[in-house]
Amino acid sequence: MSSGFGTNGGRGRCFPFWQEFTRCHVQADAASQCSTLLEDYQECLYHRKEVRFSRSSSPSWLCLGRRPCLPAPA
């Protein structure tokens, strides 16, 4: 799943998270014990929590390409 190589041939930015997750998965009795490490790895790959937080904390994303910018919903 994760080769460990980044786009420029070096170590990938998420590879350390992948290593932690696989190490936990090998040693764990149940897969649910490693769920937080899996979340960390997926966040590194996809930035879903970061995007969700930035959209909820700043209404500026509502203006994407629209002129005039609409006010944030109340």
Side-chain angles (χ1 to χ4, degrees):
M1 188 166 174
S2 179
S3 67
F5 293 104
T7 56
N8 296 323
R11 187 176 220 182
R13 72 170 194 268
C14 299
F15 188 64
F17 292 103
W18 175 252
Q19 284 182 316
E20 286 182 46
F21 171 68
T22 55
R23 191 175 304 122
C24 175
H25 193 63
V26 167
Q27 297 173 351
D29 295 328
S32 61
Q33 292 175 334
C34 304
S35 62
T36 56
L37 293 174
L38 178 61
E39 283 181 28
D40 290 343
Y41 175 63
Q42 289 179 336
E43 175 60 24
C44 181
L45 288 176
Y46 307 118
H47 305 290
R48 289 181 180 143
K49 290 180 185 177
E50 180 183 354
V51 169
R52 193 176 323 131
F53 175 76
S54 65
R55 285 184 177 178
S56 67
S57 64
S58 173
S60 63
W61 67 274
L62 294 172
C63 300
L64 298 175
R66 285 192 250 159
R67 299 282 178 212
C69 181
L70 300 175

